[in-house]
Amino acid sequence: MTEADGAYSPWMEDLRTRLGRSFGSRPGAPGTDEGSSQLRPAAVLIPLYVREKALWTLFTKRTDMVEHHKGQISFPGGGRSDRDANLWETAIRETEEEIGVPRSSIRILGALPKLQTVTDFEVSPFVGAIPYPVAFAPHAGEVESIIEVPMSYLLDPMVVEERAVKWKGRDVMTLVYHYKGHAIWGATARILTDLLAAMREDGESSARTGA
């Protein structure tokens, strides 16, 4: 990032304000047990950065070697480790491990509502600014590829639909975002929807910047 140390650019300040507003309560994911006490804490990072004078984010496509969510598209993140001081530390540690962005370079912009997954995780989503350009280094055992997407594309309501997907032998309704042959669904789609809702508030968005 080109901002001086300690300074936030206008798009960052705008998002910090939007994310500081309260969010409504969230129902559990379809197929989850609302009363489960065995949820495992986890965190993900929604990385945002300026590229070609527009705001972008990225997703990771997971390999088939990971324990959970094989082959799915997600934000960088994972389960909390005993060595993590808090869930923000979980999110930036996992981001560094998965895609090579140094945790010290990530600047927190805010958080989105926690959510429960069908795999019994309670996920805390964080939004953070990362430097660009940056040399991504996908973890060979966890990340098959990195998918970069402009936020202006995701803000288009025509790129998302609600439909059934197969989960453990039954149909589960989920939002699905489509991008160049990729399908983003499940918990990742719900997190993304929360961010897009915040960006759309007051009829404006931070998808384009003057940076």
Side-chain angles (χ1 to χ4, degrees):
M1 282 167 284
T2 59
E3 295 77 16
D5 289 347
Y8 282 78
S9 66
W11 74 265
M12 293 182 193
E13 289 288 6
D14 179 58
L15 269 177
R16 285 180 56 170
T17 299
R18 292 170 185 270
L19 294 169
R21 299 169 186 170
S22 61
F23 289 85
S25 60
R26 175 205 294 284
T32 57
D33 179 4
E34 293 279 356
S36 174
S37 60
Q38 304 300 315
L39 295 177
R40 292 167 286 180
V44 299
L45 179 76
I46 306 174
L48 297 176
Y49 51 97
V50 175
R51 172 181 164 185
E52 300 160 354
K53 294 188 176 182
L55 199 60
W56 289 62
T57 190
L58 63 80
F59 304 87
T60 62
K61 183 175 182 182
R62 299 172 70 82
T63 68
D64 290 330
M65 294 182 282
V66 294
E67 182 179 358
H68 301 287
H69 313 125
K70 298 177 187 293
Q72 292 185 16
I73 294 172
S74 63
F75 291 113
R80 181 172 182 174
S81 166
D82 291 339
R83 66 182 185 273
D84 296 332
N86 50 51
L87 286 164
W88 165 249
E89 291 292 330
T90 301
I92 61 175
R93 173 184 56 77
E94 288 281 347
T95 298
E96 183 176 57
E97 292 174 359
E98 289 184 11
I99 63 174
V101 177
R103 68 189 80 180
S104 60
S105 70
I106 304 171
R107 307 179 73 173
I108 188 168
L109 300 178
L112 294 166
K114 294 181 180 181
L115 75 164
Q116 179 180 344
T117 72
V118 294
T119 48
D120 294 327
F121 284 97
E122 183 180 59
V123 179
S124 294
F126 294 93
V127 182
I130 67 171
Y132 189 86
V134 61
F136 296 121
H139 187 290
E142 297 184 39
V143 178
E144 179 180 310
S145 61
I146 293 174
I147 304 164
E148 298 182 79
V149 188
M151 291 302 301
S152 58
Y153 175 91
L154 295 168
L155 283 160
D156 181 352
M158 300 301 292
V159 305
V160 62
E161 63 173 334
E162 186 174 20
R163 64 176 172 84
V165 299
K166 286 290 184 184
W167 177 258
K168 295 183 178 179
R170 63 190 183 91
D171 288 335
V172 175
M173 293 301 296
T174 177
L175 294 173
V176 182
Y177 290 83
H178 299 277
Y179 183 70
K180 294 185 176 180
H182 300 292
I184 302 162
W185 60 280
T188 302
R190 289 189 286 148
I191 293 168
L192 177 59
T193 298
D194 282 342
L195 175 62
L196 296 176
M199 293 180 70
R200 289 188 182 108
E201 281 190 353
D202 303 325
E204 301 290 341
S205 83
S206 302
R208 295 203 63 82
T209 78

